[in-house]
Amino acid sequence: MKDDFSSALRLNIGGKKFWTTIDTVTQREPDSMLAAMFSGRHTLSQDPHKGYVFVDRDGKHFRHILNWLRDGVVPTLEESEYSELLREAEYYQLLGLIDGIQDVLNKRKEDDELRTELTRTDIIKCIQSERVRFRGVNLSGIDLSKLDLSFVDFSYACLKNVFFSRANLQCAKFRDVDAEGSIFHNANLRECEFTSANLRGALLAGACLQSANLQDACLVDCSFCGADLRSAHLQNADLTNANLEGANLEGANLKGAKLIKANLKGANLQRAYLRHVNLRDTV
């Protein structure tokens, strides 16, 4: 019993308090940021009176993080909540949970394909022709990961919760699309056009967006962690609450953009154009 108490861990995640153990946060995902935090190698922000370790993250989904670390089971959630949980798993570098969520989303997308206008197989057949257009087509929930979709025109399409992870989308057109909650993790989006697109809650971590046009786009709650946004056009884009931690924004044009409560920790803003940018409560 003494050993149990000595390994007990009290966490304050954005104001929500949790009890767990050192073993729970270090054993299942030993290479994660959480495991590193409590490895003894780092100095932690701790309440001297109550002993809580403070982590400046939203605690809404942290119980799911702990349950994953305890049991290895991915929770059953709504689509939008999976995007939020995926963002937290990405922050804590929980690779097993990220893979587990993506497996669940892939299964749902396979089921959703029965209700979409085209399937993954249909798309593969189409992209073998010279010029491909899916303008205004409903492709919600489809899995297009790892496909070569360069130069494809998706303008005005419904792309909600589409899985574009690791796809080659260079020079593709996404003008006025509704791509809320879509996943572009590690995708090649170089020179893409996203003018006036709705990408609310989309995951673009690790994506290449060099010289992409995101003018007037809705990028609220998007994750751009580690993304390459060099020379990107972000004029008047709404990046409220977006996570741009570690993103490369060198030479990007952010004139008139909203960065309210955005996270720019570790971002490269060298030579970025920031005239008339709203930086209220920005990190």
Side-chain angles (χ1 to χ4, degrees):
M1 184 68 70
K2 184 177 179 181
D3 288 341
D4 290 342
F5 279 109
S6 65
S7 65
L9 182 62
R10 284 180 279 190
L11 298 171
N12 180 344
I13 312 296
K16 292 185 181 292
K17 295 178 179 178
F18 301 88
W19 278 64
T20 184
T21 66
I22 297 290
D23 286 348
T24 295
V25 298
T26 58
Q27 287 189 353
R28 184 173 298 279
E29 300 257 17
D31 297 322
S32 70
M33 191 186 81
L34 273 176
M37 283 173 65
F38 299 102
S39 64
R41 302 191 303 269
H42 302 281
T43 302
L44 303 171
S45 175
Q46 190 168 9
D47 184 332
H49 303 295
K50 298 183 180 179
Y52 283 94
V53 175
F54 179 72
V55 180
D56 189 15
R57 295 293 293 178
D58 189 342
K60 177 182 177 182
H61 295 296
F62 195 73
R63 67 186 182 91
H64 298 312
I65 298 283
L66 284 181
N67 286 335
W68 160 260
L69 292 171
R70 289 167 180 144
D71 308 319
V73 176
V74 178
T76 301
L77 301 171
E78 295 296 323
E79 205 77 42
S80 60
E81 291 180 309
Y82 273 127
S83 295
E84 294 172 0
L85 181 59
L86 195 59
R87 196 173 299 125
E88 295 306 299
E90 177 193 40
Y91 175 80
Y92 293 115
Q93 297 172 17
L94 299 166
L95 302 183
L97 179 55
I98 291 171
D99 289 343
I101 293 171
Q102 290 179 344
D103 287 344
V104 171
L105 292 175
N106 282 340
K107 178 62 171 64
R108 286 192 178 184
K109 285 173 177 57
E110 289 173 7
D111 296 338
D112 287 342
E113 281 187 0
L114 298 174
R115 298 188 292 273
T116 59
E117 295 179 70
L118 295 170
T119 66
R120 179 181 173 91
T121 303
D122 295 330
I123 300 291
I124 291 171
K125 289 177 181 177
C126 288
I127 61 178
Q128 291 170 355
S129 61
E130 264 187 43
R131 190 171 181 181
V132 185
R133 291 184 178 181
F134 297 112
R135 294 169 69 93
V137 177
N138 180 10
L139 299 173
S140 298
I142 199 168
D143 179 9
L144 300 177
S145 61
K146 302 178 183 176
L147 294 181
D148 184 356
L149 299 163
S150 53
F151 297 95
V152 173
D153 189 351
F154 293 98
S155 298
Y156 312 105
C158 182
L159 302 173
K160 284 186 176 181
N161 303 308
V162 173
F163 196 61
F164 285 110
S165 183
R166 295 180 176 85
N168 178 17
L169 291 153
Q170 182 167 345
C171 297
K173 292 184 178 180
F174 294 91
R175 186 181 182 88
D176 283 297
V177 299
D178 185 357
E180 184 171 346
S182 287
I183 296 174
F184 293 89
H185 186 255
N186 286 337
N188 178 12
L189 295 160
R190 187 174 182 137
E191 299 179 29
C192 280
E193 181 185 353
F194 283 96
T195 309
S196 301
N198 175 21
L199 288 161
R200 181 184 291 267
L203 179 67
L204 296 110
C208 174
L209 288 144
Q210 276 189 50
S211 302
N213 187 352
L214 294 128
Q215 293 185 62
D216 300 305
C218 175
L219 305 172
V220 176
D221 294 324
C222 282
S223 174
F224 290 95
C225 287
D228 186 350
L229 287 150
R230 285 177 291 172
S231 302
H233 302 278
L234 291 150
Q235 297 97 307
N236 300 313
D238 189 350
L239 286 147
T240 300
N241 206 38
N243 188 358
L244 290 142
E245 184 170 351
N248 188 351
L249 289 148
E250 184 176 348
N253 188 343
L254 289 144
K255 182 180 179 181
K258 292 180 183 177
L259 284 160
I260 301 166
K261 295 184 179 179
N263 179 11
L264 287 162
K265 184 178 179 181
N268 177 12
L269 289 160
Q270 189 174 8
R271 297 198 304 276
Y273 190 75
L274 297 166
R275 188 179 178 87
H276 303 306
V277 172
N278 188 337
L279 292 164
R280 192 176 77 236
D281 299 323
T282 298
V283 178

